[in-house]
Amino acid sequence: MSATGLRVHATGAQCLVEDLGRRGLTSIGVGRSGAADRGSLRRANRALANEEGDAALEVTFGGLVVEPVGGPVWLCVTGAPCPVTVDGRDVGADTVFSAPAGAVVRLGTPERGLRSYLAVRGGVAVEPVLGSRSRDVMAALGPDQVAEGDLLPVGRPGGSQPTVDSVLPLALPARDEPLVLRAVRGPRDGWLAEADGLVSTSWVASERSNRVGMRLEASPAEAGGGEAPVLRHADDAPSLPSEGAWRGAVQVPPDGEPVLFLADHPVTGGYPVVAVVVDTDVDLAAQARPGQPVRFRWTSPR
């Protein structure tokens, strides 16, 4: 008998239903949204023989507790590596495992990284909104944030069966090691006095970061305890009208502290974009904890 759902007993800091997002709607002001770390979502779904875009649970900093209801389920946890137990028995992250109805599945605090993904065979089958089951926190669009007591329906599995029992873990630096992000220069680097300041400065992920964007502050240590250097708009730069925004864009507000747009970014922006981060590295950026050192390095467009 297949499971009918997952009963939520605890959510941790934040738990959202996410898939690969809403495509083709930016012309009407609707962003794509979707999983902050798309690669981790895809790995979990492939391990379970789901469609790679099936909805799963994005769990921020652990703390999720769920119980299968109506029958057993097959599960996989990817992304930020965290302790995973079934009725207190360790099953580990990045593995395919089963949990019977009534079991307690618990995700602990990640060793490194920020966001873990709990996928279930058949996908989380909440009602889609505009073609996606993703929660867009900026637009308040999609299914509500997962709450204690929710019963999340599970979809009917496809015909294929899982053929692996584990997946490669996500490679993440330790919390005190820099997260290095590859970036393509421009398109508005000419609006800054010194665009190379992006790659020559040691940055730190701010506590103000969220799914909309990773806000960056210059490392105080680099400034020798004084005022940290920031990127500065060029004195002769013309006013820049709002233009389309995209995931991975590094936008520089007047305060000189860049913002790297993540999954729930706005569809337009009026600050100059000094660089665009390589798409796969945006997944890594979504795993940065507050206080994580961040460095950029230029790369060529492919």
Side-chain angles (χ1 to χ4, degrees), residues 20-300:
L20 291 180
R22 301 172 180 86
R23 301 192 186 197
L25 299 176
T26 54
S27 62
I28 60 171
V30 178
R32 178 169 173 177
S33 188
D37 178 354
R38 296 175 187 168
S40 291
L41 175 71
R42 287 186 172 107
R43 281 196 302 278
N45 277 326
R46 288 169 182 163
L48 293 167
N50 287 341
E51 295 294 325
E52 70 171 18
D54 280 354
L57 298 181
E58 181 180 278
V59 184
T60 300
F61 210 54
L64 178 69
V65 180
V66 297
E67 172 194 346
V69 174
V73 294
W74 286 93
L75 302 163
C76 183
V77 176
T78 57
C82 64
V84 183
T85 61
V86 178
D87 285 339
R89 174 177 60 87
D90 179 41
V91 295
D94 303 301
T95 62
V96 176
F97 62 93
S98 64
V104 176
V105 179
R106 187 182 303 271
L107 275 61
T109 303
E111 303 165 5
R112 58 184 68 186
L114 184 64
R115 294 178 171 94
S116 305
Y117 292 84
L118 174 68
V120 56
R121 181 158 158 74
V124 178
V126 296
E127 193 68 25
V129 177
L130 294 178
S132 170
R133 295 182 169 93
S134 287
R135 176 64 178 179
D136 183 331
V137 298
M138 182 175 183
L141 184 67
D144 289 339
Q145 180 171 316
V146 177
E148 180 180 341
D150 285 353
L151 178 61
L152 304 174
V154 173
R156 184 180 297 277
S160 300
Q161 296 293 324
T163 57
V164 299
D165 55 13
S166 64
V167 295
L168 290 174
L170 182 64
L172 291 169
R175 184 172 180 177
D176 58 350
E177 296 177 350
L179 186 71
V180 180
L181 304 175
R182 297 167 294 169
V184 176
R185 185 186 292 269
R188 301 300 182 191
D189 52 328
W191 265 249
L192 300 173
E194 182 50 69
D196 283 336
L198 181 72
V199 298
S200 63
T201 302
S202 296
W203 304 98
V204 175
S206 168
E207 292 182 353
R208 296 172 294 154
S209 301
N210 53 29
R211 278 179 47 89
V212 176
M214 179 169 67
R215 297 179 179 272
L216 296 160
E217 301 168 351
S219 170
E222 184 176 87
E227 184 179 351
V230 294
L231 295 169
R232 183 173 60 83
H233 289 196
D235 293 335
D236 58 350
S239 177
L240 183 66
S242 291
E243 55 189 353
W246 53 94
R247 179 181 186 260
V250 182
Q251 194 178 71
V252 183
D255 64 7
E257 294 185 337
V259 179
L260 169 56
F261 282 160
L262 299 179
D264 290 349
H265 65 81
V267 296
T268 61
Y271 298 135
V273 173
V274 63
V276 179
V277 172
V278 173
D279 193 60
T280 54
D281 286 7
V282 182
D283 287 346
L284 293 177
Q287 294 291 354
R289 296 186 187 185
Q292 177 95 40
V294 178
R295 295 298 302 260
F296 293 90
R297 69 175 179 86
W298 295 131
T299 190
S300 299

